Amino acid sequence: MATPRLLLLALLLATAAGFRPPVTGRAVRVSRGALGLRRRAKAGDDAEDIQAKLAAELGLKEEGCAAAPSTSIFGWSSLQRDRALALGSAVLAAAAYFFQASNPVSAVALLHQMEAESPELTRALSNGKPTIVDIYADWCDNCRALAPTTRLLEKEFGGQVNWVTVRGDAPTKESAAIVNALRADAIPHYAFINADGEVVTSLVGLVPPRILREDVSALAERRAVPYVMYDAYKQEPSHLLKDYLGRDFFGGAEQK
């Protein structure tokens, strides 16, 4: 049983050293809808710059384009930058690996534990902290894959952010109300809610751990999250979650 773990650790260390396993098939073209994920614009950024940065960070290549010229960040070449990004991702992955290795529970058990320790959403929305609602299901492969990462993030930012874990297919009115209010039709679903109770974005699916951490860190520090994906209320007048949960969820009284 130790062999798969040793192979995983070897792969993580090789990734940190700059090795990437061969990928079959043609290069992936990056568009605004790539992975459904986009980075917020900063002053001076345009759409092409944003996509180029996102492509570099995710290790994607743009089809039919010449190699990008070397750029310098703090005196780093593009190769050094890419290796630093790979090292950062590998470190987080390695931390998740060692966390799971030192806490030998299954991913499903880990998700159940997080759910059992979660604050009630009504309390989370009223304690003045930002909140992440993490919707999962036992049968969801991507939920299980990200469980060690989300557990680490929950522990790291627990004093600054409410982490509410919800089993999306649980046969309870509370679970159904949360899933419906967030309009979650795919999992894992991570809803980022600011201290005012507004849903600023949701990240859905197998999100790269580093991107997930950057958004959690920004939310904890009351900054705009750098990566946005799904806006459930894009066509609605309000982004306040309480407006979609309904009065019954708060015991028949409207939340202040």
Side-chain angles (χ1 to χ4, degrees), residues 20 34-35 37 53-60 85 208 210-211 227:
R20 293 181 181 176
L35 302 182
L37 184 70
K53 291 175 183 176
L54 181 57
E57 290 167 359
L58 295 181
L60 301 177
L85 289 171
R210 183 185 53 77
I211 287 177
Y227 294 95

Side-chain angles (χ1 to χ4, degrees), residues 180-181 183 230-240 243-244:
N180 290 335
R183 301 176 182 177
Y230 172 56
D231 184 352
Y233 314 125
K234 187 175 182 179
Q235 306 298 328
E236 304 292 350
S238 170
H239 278 68
L240 290 170
D243 290 344
Y244 304 96

Side-chain angles (χ1 to χ4, degrees), residues 167-188:
R167 185 160 70 89
D169 59 351
T172 65
K173 290 182 178 180
E174 291 78 10
S175 176
I178 293 170
V179 170
N180 290 335
L182 289 169
R183 301 176 182 177
D185 56 5
I187 53 175

Side-chain angles (χ1 to χ4, degrees), residues 20 28-32 34-35 37-39 47-63 65 68 81-82 85 208 210-211 227:
R20 293 181 181 176
V28 178
R29 179 168 183 81
V30 180
S31 66
R32 286 186 65 85
L35 302 182
L37 184 70
R38 65 187 188 279
R39 188 166 190 168
E48 291 184 1
D49 288 339
I50 295 168
Q51 288 299 311
K53 291 175 183 176
L54 181 57
E57 290 167 359
L58 295 181
L60 301 177
K61 295 180 180 179
E62 189 159 14
E63 183 183 22
C65 294
R81 178 199 61 204
D82 289 345
L85 289 171
R210 183 185 53 77
I211 287 177
Y227 294 95

Side-chain angles (χ1 to χ4, degrees), residues 47-224:
E48 291 184 1
D49 288 339
I50 295 168
Q51 288 299 311
K53 291 175 183 176
L54 181 57
E57 290 167 359
L58 295 181
L60 301 177
K61 295 180 180 179
E62 189 159 14
E63 183 183 22
C65 294
S70 296
T71 57
S72 176
I73 300 176
F74 303 114
W76 292 359
S77 68
S78 59
L79 178 59
Q80 289 173 319
R81 178 199 61 204
D82 289 345
R83 286 184 173 177
L85 289 171
L87 178 60
S89 298
V91 167
L92 183 55
Y97 166 79
F98 283 115
F99 177 87
Q100 192 167 26
S102 60
N103 297 270
V105 296
S106 71
V108 171
L110 198 60
L111 290 165
H112 288 178
Q113 184 178 357
M114 291 173 65
E115 183 177 16
E117 295 173 0
S118 293
E120 293 183 358
L121 183 57
T122 51
R123 181 160 58 87
L125 293 176
S126 61
N127 67 6
K129 295 180 182 179
T131 297
I132 292 171
V133 177
D134 174 0
I135 301 175
Y136 79 98
D138 290 357
W139 46 262
C140 170
D141 290 340
N142 291 340
C143 302
R144 296 196 298 268
L146 284 172
T149 296
T150 54
R151 183 58 160 177
L152 283 172
L153 293 174
E154 179 202 26
K155 293 295 186 184
E156 181 179 357
F157 295 98
Q160 301 164 275
V161 174
N162 303 303
W163 198 290
V164 180
T165 304
V166 177
R167 185 160 70 89
D169 59 351
T172 65
K173 290 182 178 180
E174 291 78 10
S175 176
I178 293 170
V179 170
N180 290 335
L182 289 169
R183 301 176 182 177
D185 56 5
I187 53 175
H189 184 112
Y190 306 99
F192 289 74
I193 305 166
N194 65 21
D196 296 324
E198 297 176 316
V199 181
V200 297
T201 195
S202 291
L203 302 184
V204 182
L206 190 60
V207 181
R210 183 185 53 77
I211 287 177
L212 189 59
R213 188 189 185 282
E214 284 192 28
D215 270 11
V216 174
S217 178
L219 190 74
E221 296 171 6
R222 315 297 175 96
R223 296 184 284 109

